[in-house]
Amino acid sequence: MKIGKEFNIFLFSIKLLLKRKSSYYIFLILMVLVFFIASASFITASIKKELILTHEELPDIVIQRVIGGRQQYIPMDYIDKIVSIPGIKSILPRVWGYYYFDYSGVNFSIVGIDPLEPFYKKSLEENIKHIKTDDLIKRDDWMILGNGVRRLFSEIGYVDYAYFKKPNGEYIKLRRFDYLTQESAIFTNDIILISQNTARKLLGMDDDYVSDIVVNVYNKNEVVTIAAKIRDILKDARTVTKKDVLNSYQNVFNYKLGFFITLFGVLIFTMMVIVIDKLGGLSETEKLEIGVLKATGWTTSDVLRLKFYESSFLVLQAFIIGVLLAVIYVYILKAPIMMNIFSGYASLKTEYQLIFAVDFKTLFLIFIAIVPFYIAAIIIPTYRIATLDTYEVFK
Amino acid sequence: MIEIRHLTKIYDDKIVLQNINLDINNGDFVVIMGPSGSGKSTFLSIISGLSRPTEGSVCYDDINISKLPESDVGKFRNSKIGFVFQKFNLMENLTVYENILPPVIIAEKKITKKDIFELLKRFEIDNLSDVKVKRLSGGEQQRVALARALVNDPELLIADEPTANLDYRLKNEVIDTFKKIHYQGKTIIVATHDRVFTEIEGARIINMINGKIAEMV
């Protein structure tokens, strides 16, 4: 095989491809299909990665107080009642809730923290470079913003400080202290960290109450037993274990998987239509092209290679451009519309940063479902035509 | 020299060519006449290697192209034979220049862009090299088809009804072109209904009827 000849066959195949209108339609269909499936795959992979990251940070047990099906604040003395349960490693009362920012029509998560508490101190040091936690102890009017909140505040001119309304209608002015980093965005994007005192004021919570209580245990195999013991002692308490949280994620993903399978079904169906159409015979233009090539001395092998280059070029371009557009759509444009279907965070309008994650298995699956099938759908009828008597092809 | 011996072609139990024997010398101008369905086109397709005979042989000097493997027939046709079809069989969406390329791409000998343009100039279509052939007149298309057939400088030019789609003026132009090509020493075989070809000086006239040679002049 001469490289010069082969290169010229390749160039000529591209010429023929670009001059055929139907090539553009097929390219467009394939590219759009790849784009949709790849976008869905990227979003799923990104959320999965996020949840894996988050999973490590989830507490073993969260204790909530539920009365009449509604969550209530928990008295602090509940901690004293469970502290003696064997196997408990740590207990952390949390003060948090949602704050509706009516100017933008957005809910933020407000989390009250005690900078001296080892858990919060460690988290702050991990998420904010060069933080001086001592400065946070001296005063109460500070706030640390998640990335989504930061963006939204800067859009409305809240750069250095912001006003928050208490339940009694009075306003509190809080100064921006710092920002959280962009990593693990799913739970930090809409968050505002403030002092516990300020959080209590904004959430209308008394000093001897908390939102929920987080428990970590020494032996992970004992989580269920310890949770049962907690429920025994605290009759109005509900316990949510790490496994429960992951199960709820799993349920969400099952429905998303259904969505994904539907998209994949559409892909397979479309590919079948294209393949069946091509196997049914090439167009008259393509037949004539093959006849001309044969008549001017091309062998069947030359013609098949030309058609291989032609179909590979088209389908690979469609695949690569489809995937690149999906990358731009998901990671740069933040997947408008499709993200709402996948994230389940649509009730919180703050934006969610998708972590860059590629599911190579799914990409490979899309590649397999499209590329070889399309090439085969071109090569098989080409072989049929190219092996006919050339004179027959023109008839 | 082309030696055609006992050439027979049967399509779906129908005998299209029957036991044709013919010798064509280098430099001959052979005009094959005959009514539609007499087997002229089939005869051309077999002697050019585009089809295989049911029986018989077509030998170019010592090479029997009827027995050559498909890939060797392709190479042979590419270097030795130029073929002009009745309907030109040009790729309509490609330009004039691009239509000339197929035989050049796979040619054993090197043919440069300059060579192609010289050929286009010879046929007075060099100024149309970037024009899509579907925008050309019938005569211009015929010249593109001729240029494609001759670009590899073949020894033999075969043409099937080369003037069938042309008006009187263009017909004469094409005939003049064939005369010039013949004058350069090429062997030419033309299947036609057009009696004008029979008036070409030195032309051998072969009349075919019902797949047989009825008369040779």
Side-chain angles (χ1 to χ4, degrees):
Chain A
M1 190 186 291
K2 289 180 186 172
I3 293 172
K5 174 185 165 186
E6 214 52 36
F7 184 63
N8 286 333
I9 291 178
F10 171 75
L11 287 183
F12 195 67
S13 73
I14 306 304
K15 269 194 182 108
L16 286 176
L17 183 73
L18 296 179
K19 298 277 171 93
R20 222 179 287 127
K21 264 187 191 169
S22 61
S23 309
Y24 293 93
Y25 298 132
I26 293 171
F27 172 81
L28 207 66
I29 292 168
L30 292 177
M31 192 192 69
V32 168
L33 277 172
V34 171
F35 167 77
F36 273 117
I37 309 281
S39 297
S41 151
F42 287 154
I43 293 171
T44 314
S46 179
I47 294 175
K48 264 186 190 165
K49 189 179 174 186
E50 178 68 53
L51 293 180
I52 289 165
L53 285 175
T54 312
H55 168 239
E56 290 161 12
E57 294 168 7
L58 284 175
D60 293 327
I61 303 166
V62 176
I63 304 169
Q64 297 168 342
R65 187 179 175 218
V66 180
I67 297 172
R70 300 187 71 83
Q71 199 176 327
Q72 308 287 325
Y73 295 144
I74 301 184
M76 283 282 270
D77 62 8
Y78 272 30
I79 295 174
D80 301 331
K81 292 178 186 174
I82 59 167
V83 75
S84 58
I85 295 174
I88 290 182
K89 184 179 167 187
S90 65
I91 300 175
L92 179 69
R94 296 196 302 194
V95 177
W96 70 278
Y98 295 118
Y99 179 86
Y100 182 67
F101 196 66
D102 50 8
Y103 185 84
S104 303
V106 171
N107 272 315
F108 295 129
S109 298
I110 284 181
V111 177
I113 62 167
D114 176 359
L116 289 178
E117 213 288 325
F119 171 80
Y120 288 125
K121 196 171 182 207
K122 187 169 167 260
S123 290
L124 285 174
E125 284 167 357
E126 281 172 1
N127 281 291
I128 305 172
K129 284 178 185 170
H130 316 301
I131 189 166
K132 290 175 184 165
T133 44
D134 292 346
D135 293 348
L136 297 176
I137 304 159
K138 292 173 191 164
R139 48 202 303 169
D140 269 344
D141 63 341
W142 51 266
M143 59 180 177
I144 295 170
L145 308 177
N147 202 45
V149 184
R150 171 192 185 175
R151 199 178 309 115
L152 199 99
F153 273 14
S154 56
E155 278 170 15
I156 58 171
Y158 278 10
V159 179
D160 292 323
Y161 57 85
Y163 288 96
F164 292 85
K165 193 159 79 173
K166 293 197 290 184
N168 64 6
E170 291 174 12
Y171 281 90
I172 304 176
K173 181 181 178 181
L174 298 180
R175 295 176 187 285
R176 175 187 56 78
F177 184 79
D178 220 319
Y179 305 112
L180 293 168
T181 55
Q182 287 190 27
E183 286 300 315
S184 74
I186 196 166
F187 289 123
T188 60
N189 200 42
D190 73 324
I191 221 168
I192 303 174
L193 301 181
I194 52 180
S195 75
Q196 283 196 347
N197 282 340
T198 313
R200 285 181 195 284
K201 285 177 193 166
L202 289 178
L203 298 170
M205 186 190 294
D206 290 341
D207 285 352
D208 44 0
Y209 280 85
V210 291
S211 305
D212 56 23
I213 298 167
V214 162
V215 174
N216 280 302
V217 302
Y218 285 108
N219 184 351
K220 304 301 173 194
N221 295 327
E222 289 184 346
V223 169
V224 176
T225 315
I226 292 171
K229 283 180 183 172
I230 292 169
R231 289 196 304 275
D232 259 0
I233 296 167
L234 309 174
K235 300 297 179 192
D236 57 356
R238 178 174 73 178
T239 54
V240 181
T241 65
K242 190 188 275 191
K243 199 179 171 192
D244 293 333
V245 176
L246 292 177
N247 281 345
S248 65
Y249 289 152
Q250 194 60 51
N251 288 339
V252 174
F253 265 98
N254 283 343
Y255 120 75
K256 283 162 193 166
L257 190 68
F259 177 75
F260 187 77
I261 287 170
T262 309
L263 266 181
F264 207 77
V266 172
L267 168 77
I268 298 290
F269 176 75
T270 313
M271 276 314 293
M272 277 174 63
V273 170
I274 293 172
V275 167
I276 289 167
D277 177 56
K278 287 288 177 188
L279 286 178
L282 298 174
S283 67
E284 288 305 311
T285 312
E286 285 172 296
K287 279 183 192 167
L288 177 90
E289 286 166 5
I290 293 170
V292 169
L293 296 176
K294 292 277 290 183
T296 53
W298 290 50
T299 63
T300 302
S301 158
D302 292 333
V303 174
L304 288 178
R305 289 205 310 284
L306 173 117
K307 291 305 245 184
F308 174 77
Y309 296 142
E310 194 184 291
S311 52
S312 306
F313 185 80
L314 184 145
V315 74
L316 285 175
Q317 288 249 12
F319 181 81
I320 291 166
I321 293 174
V323 170
L324 286 178
L325 286 178
V327 169
I328 293 168
Y329 173 73
V330 173
Y331 297 116
I332 297 175
L333 302 177
K334 297 160 199 163
I337 302 171
M338 207 187 263
M339 186 57 202
N340 289 344
I341 300 168
F342 273 81
S343 75
Y345 282 78
S347 56
L348 300 180
K349 278 207 225 157
T350 46
E351 289 170 23
Y352 162 61
Q353 293 289 326
L354 288 152
I355 297 177
F356 189 81
V358 179
D359 180 359
F360 285 104
K361 266 189 198 166
T362 311
L363 275 186
F364 182 70
L365 203 64
I366 302 169
F367 183 87
I368 292 294
I370 290 183
V371 176
F373 278 102
Y374 182 75
I375 294 172
I378 297 294
I379 294 295
I380 293 168
T382 299
Y383 180 80
R384 280 196 208 135
I385 300 290
T387 48
L388 286 176
D389 264 2
T390 308
Y391 221 72
E392 289 294 295
V393 179
F394 293 126
K395 279 186 178 173
Chain B
M1 183 173 176
I2 309 168
E3 285 181 5
I4 299 155
R5 295 287 176 268
H6 311 296
L7 201 67
T8 300
K9 180 74 178 179
I10 303 171
Y11 278 121
D12 301 328
D13 297 333
K14 190 186 169 198
I15 299 170
V16 183
L17 295 176
Q18 197 177 345
N19 194 29
I20 291 182
N21 292 283
L22 181 67
D23 288 339
I24 299 170
N25 296 312
N26 291 342
D28 275 359
F29 195 126
V30 180
V31 180
I32 301 170
M33 307 283 293
S36 295
S38 58
K40 301 188 297 292
S41 294
T42 306
F43 177 69
L44 293 190
S45 76
I46 292 174
I47 62 169
S48 60
L50 294 176
S51 299
R52 291 199 185 262
T54 310
E55 279 175 33
S57 62
V58 178
C59 293
Y60 284 78
D61 297 324
D62 292 330
I63 303 168
N64 181 355
I65 65 160
S66 314
K67 300 285 181 197
L68 283 179
E70 186 255 358
S71 57
D72 290 347
V73 177
K75 279 179 195 165
F76 184 85
R77 192 162 54 235
N78 180 257
S79 60
K80 306 279 185 192
I81 304 170
F83 201 111
V84 180
F85 295 90
Q86 180 179 350
K87 291 175 187 166
F88 315 137
N89 288 340
L90 298 170
M91 300 183 194
E92 287 202 328
N93 289 322
L94 299 189
T95 64
V96 168
Y97 177 78
E98 289 163 345
N99 262 282
I100 309 294
L101 289 178
V104 177
I105 289 169
I106 52 151
E108 294 286 328
K109 60 183 170 190
K110 191 170 167 60
I111 293 154
T112 62
K113 199 171 180 178
K114 194 181 161 201
D115 296 332
I116 296 173
F117 270 88
E118 273 175 16
L119 184 70
L120 294 180
K121 203 170 181 180
R122 240 173 76 196
F123 286 105
E124 296 171 6
I125 46 174
D126 52 325
N127 57 333
L128 301 172
S129 63
D130 289 332
V131 179
K132 284 186 179 176
V133 293
K134 67 180 170 191
R135 298 187 195 286
L136 302 183
S137 68
E140 288 164 337
Q141 289 192 11
Q142 178 66 288
R143 279 182 272 163
V144 177
L146 266 168
R148 184 179 65 192
L150 294 171
V151 68
N152 283 358
D153 195 24
E155 294 161 13
L156 171 64
L157 177 66
I158 298 176
D160 189 5
E161 301 282 5
T163 52
N165 295 319
L166 305 179
D167 62 28
Y168 179 76
R169 187 181 60 83
L170 290 172
K171 208 179 274 186
N172 284 332
E173 267 182 34
V174 169
I175 289 165
D176 284 345
T177 308
F178 273 88
K179 282 180 187 168
K180 279 181 201 164
I181 295 166
H182 181 233
Y183 186 72
Q184 287 160 6
K186 308 268 183 215
T187 308
I188 295 178
I189 304 173
V190 177
T192 183
H193 285 101
D194 208 325
R195 294 231 143 253
V196 186
F197 276 97
T198 60
E199 293 158 14
I200 293 174
E201 196 183 327
R204 288 176 63 194
I205 317 298
I206 294 171
N207 278 309
M208 284 184 71
I209 297 172
N210 294 331
K212 292 178 188 169
I213 293 177
E215 185 188 10
M216 271 195 275
V217 183

